[in-house]
Amino acid sequence: MKGPAPIQGTAPIKGAVPLVELVDIHKSVGASAGVVKILKGISLSVCAGESIAVTGPSGSGKSTLLHVMGLLTPATHGNLKVGGELVDHDRRKAINLRRRFGFIFQDAKLINGLSALQNVQAPLMHIGVWPHRQKKLATDALEAVGMGHRLGHHPGQLSGGESMRVAIARALVAKPSILLADEPTGSLDSANGRIIADLLLGMVGRTTALVMVTHQPELARRANRIAHIIDGVLVDQ
Amino acid sequence: MSGTSINTSTPNGFERTSFLSRVVCIGMIIVQSMWAFRWQQALVLFTMSIGSFGLAAIMFLGEGALRNLWMDLDTLMGSRMDVYPAPGMGDKLLQKRPMVHFTAQDLEYVRAHARDAAYIAPMFNHRSRISQGDISAVAQVDGIAEPLMKEPAYTPFLGGGFTQGGRTGDRVECLLTKSLAARLRIFQEPLPRVAIGAYPCQVVGIIPDPPDADEPLRERMAIPYRWARMLWGGRGDIGTIIVSWKSPQQMEAVVDSVRKALDQARAPGAYHFSSSRFAVRKKKEIVSNIMLAGSAQSLFSILIASIGVLNVMLANVTRRSREFAIRVAVGAEPSDLGIIVLMESVALSLVGGLVGLLMAVAGAPLIIQALATRIPEASNIIPVITPGGVVAPLAVCVICGALAGAVPAMRARKLDVLVALRAE
């Protein structure tokens, strides 16, 4: 099996075991209406302590790469390893591996009808954490992102920046290994965008990594690696 | 493996959770979702509760009506039936035959063959003019044999009742019902003599009116069988035969044995039975049929409500596909989504069922009150809450809810996460 090709200008942290390893990943969609190839042989590895910015024009396959990496959709072809474990057709294994990722979407994607606290509790509920612990962990996570004073507020009562901070708390609450952020500052003004970027990059530590899709060069420059995709192919930057 | 990496086999502290904690969490999600979408689900809950209310109310009221009927039965004059020497009214062919009276041989044959009977005795009934001084009235006179004299219905509340001489027929004595005594203006002791036609007779007691008898039949008189037969009996005619049983459970056996004995002694259909118990049984059948029809209607409304639940849950899955996709992204298993939708449907139906049940418990007495304004007898019915009446509506609601939730649950399981996330 071929190893992942390192991206020019960036290098994995020396000696680190990749948290995620993509090897020659292809992704196609559609059948009767014609097959569209979105990813064409992407190879990439993400190690602990890294922050990677995925950039590229619209429709180049950045979000799809994030979804494939986060096991939300299977690759059409290629090998994907999470924490050294090869992702195969075992659904149970895939679900357990998916819980190592924390997702942050562009428009926060909070669940309407639930409060900020309940939204942050949601990942813990699906894991099966006891309610009293859920509440404490969720409250701690919200306080960590400066939202401790808005626990009972619903998505409609929060601003874009606040919603994004709740979404970050939700992504972090189950202590994931890798944060996957899809244009986290895309819908925010520059001031809020900076706050969110600081928060996200501040979360990257010795045991976690961040992969974020962004169109904003200044945010991309703050990451320690940049992966540029054009038409489904990872190109050097 | 280098020391800078995380322990990849246990990436976080929550992977190993217990089954029980998962069940509790799924329950919390269901409660949260039901509360968050409460207004959308209110209509279904209302419809389901109406169905459950109907079913529960029918069962509570029906049980009360049935018990009321059996209580009526217990208060009837003993447990007995009259056997008449005439064809049944429903048999047109036999009605053309001349009436043939029962004979002493018929009575002895029935006595010899009827099993489990408390007693079998003859009885004479005749309408006659009764007078006391200037006052007179036409009343039904029952010639009763000794076993019947011991029945509670013939125990006087005023006067001492038949004497030993009266029972054997040595003395001419009679009992009057309260209505007849009032007609003859006899209200207190000492009790006077009255005349049956031209024959004088000493009144020895006033007995209660027969329960549930119409106005004319409340004016009755009881005299010893021997005198009645002497006054009105033709050659060999012993009147009717009274058959009594010791307990309600023995009724069927007694009736069957009497029927067989009379079929052999006379001819099939050349006699007919008359019993309050049969009337009660007929009423019971009517109540049961009403219950059945009401239950069918309620089941139908629950079925309609189930279609409503199905629609709401399908619409929920479509409307909540974004939420479900987010849940999958934050760690939910697709099977969790199926369970959540299915259990929401069941819970919604169960809550509807419970609301309906509570409405039935509270509303059944009000239904009785409303019925009693048109049917006075309905006021005697006391709604009875039986385990069956509680469990049946809930069980029907749960089953219907599960069936209605199955298809939406399958759809939720097979949700395309990416499509749902992008379909904003």
Side-chain angles (χ1 to χ4, degrees), chain B residues 86-291:
Chain B
M89 292 298 287
D91 193 331
K92 298 288 181 196
L93 185 68
L94 288 171
Q95 276 180 42
K96 289 175 184 169
R97 290 185 186 173
M99 184 184 282
V100 181
H101 56 69
F102 286 136
T103 64
Q105 286 77 13
D106 294 330
L107 180 64
E108 288 311 312
Y109 197 83
V110 170
R111 276 181 172 158
H113 290 84
R115 292 177 290 114
D116 300 325
Y119 61 81
I120 295 169
M123 186 177 189
F124 246 107
N125 306 104
H126 196 271
R127 285 188 77 75
S128 193
R129 180 164 293 279
I130 315 296
S131 53
Q132 198 248 328
D134 298 337
I135 309 162
S136 69
V138 175
Q140 181 82 13
V141 182
D142 300 329
I144 56 173
E146 200 158 355
L148 268 170
M149 292 176 183
K150 295 172 186 167
E151 291 266 2
Y154 294 105
T155 304
F157 61 85
L158 184 69
F162 288 115
T163 61
Q164 182 59 34
R167 286 199 190 92
T168 56
D170 293 337
R171 294 184 58 185
V172 184
E173 295 176 344
C174 65
L175 302 170
L176 306 180
T177 60
K178 191 180 170 185
S179 294
L180 182 58
R183 173 70 78 92
L184 299 175
R185 300 194 181 284
I186 302 169
F187 299 110
Q188 59 189 19
E189 293 184 282
L191 298 170
R193 290 166 75 90
V194 294
I196 308 168
Y199 299 97
C201 178
Q202 175 63 46
V203 179
V204 291
I206 311 296
I207 57 175
D209 289 343
D212 298 332
D214 294 332
E215 187 95 26
L217 292 174
R218 287 184 197 150
E219 294 179 356
R220 294 177 86 102
M221 167 187 268
I223 60 172
Y225 173 76
R226 184 179 161 189
W227 282 104
R229 191 178 172 193
M230 202 173 73
L231 289 172
W232 302 301
R235 185 184 292 173
D237 183 4
I238 62 157
T240 59
I241 297 173
I242 304 298
V243 179
S244 172
W245 41 85
K246 290 168 190 164
S247 67
Q249 290 76 23
Q250 290 172 325
M251 182 191 77
E252 296 293 342
V254 172
V255 171
D256 281 349
S257 59
V258 170
R259 183 177 283 125
K260 279 179 191 164
L262 282 171
D263 282 352
Q264 287 172 5
R266 300 172 69 85
Y271 57 90
H272 71 96
F273 297 139
S274 167
S275 165
S276 306
R277 182 171 283 270
F278 291 145
V280 170
R281 175 180 285 180
K282 192 71 192 169
K283 282 185 190 172
K284 189 185 171 194
E285 277 174 18
I286 293 167
V287 171
S288 299
N289 287 339
I290 291 170
M291 278 177 74

Side-chain angles (χ1 to χ4, degrees), chain B residues 286-335:
Chain B
I286 293 167
V287 171
S288 299
N289 287 339
I290 291 170
M291 278 177 74
L292 199 66
S295 301
Q297 280 188 347
S298 301
L299 283 172
F300 184 71
S301 58
I302 288 178
L303 191 71
I304 297 293
S306 303
I307 295 169
V309 174
L310 175 68
N311 272 329
V312 165
M313 297 316 292
L314 278 174
N316 265 353
V317 170
T318 307
R319 190 177 55 240
R320 292 169 61 188
S321 56
R322 174 183 175 274
E323 177 204 329
F324 289 153
I326 295 168
R327 286 191 182 278
V328 170
V330 301
E333 299 179 19
S335 60

Side-chain angles (χ1 to χ4, degrees), chain A residues 14-17 19 48 63-64 67 72-73 83-85 91-92 95-96 98-101 103 105 107 109-114 118 121-131 133-134 137 170 173-175 177 206-208, chain B residues 1-18 20-22 24-26 28-29 32-33 35-37 322-323 325-337 340 413 417-418 420-422 424:
Chain A
K14 198 173 179 183
V17 171
L19 295 176
S63 295
T64 305
H67 293 149
L72 284 182
T73 185
E85 287 186 58
R91 283 167 58 90
R92 168 65 55 184
I95 289 162
N96 281 332
R98 191 195 300 147
R99 287 179 178 158
R100 298 183 186 191
F101 297 92
F103 277 92
F105 300 98
D107 53 354
K109 284 196 175 13
L110 300 182
I111 299 171
N112 295 324
L114 300 188
Q118 288 169 331
Q121 277 180 282
L124 302 174
M125 280 188 179
H126 288 291
I127 294 169
V129 177
W130 284 106
R133 196 154 170 237
Q134 272 177 33
L137 289 165
R170 183 177 66 186
V173 73
K175 297 183 172 51
S177 309
R206 285 185 70 244
T207 58
T208 51
Chain B
M1 201 175 280
S2 159
T4 55
S5 71
I6 60 165
N7 181 356
T8 50
S9 62
T10 53
N12 57 49
F14 314 111
E15 203 162 12
R16 293 194 185 94
T17 51
S18 68
L20 184 63
S21 67
R22 278 185 56 75
V24 170
C25 287
I26 294 281
M28 281 179 67
I29 294 168
Q32 271 183 0
S33 301
W35 182 249
F37 298 99
R322 174 183 175 274
E323 177 204 329
I326 295 168
R327 286 191 182 278
V328 170
V330 301
E333 299 179 19
S335 60
D336 283 355
L337 303 181
I340 288 168
R413 269 184 75 121
V417 177
L418 289 192
L421 280 174
R422 283 174 175 158
E424 204 47 46

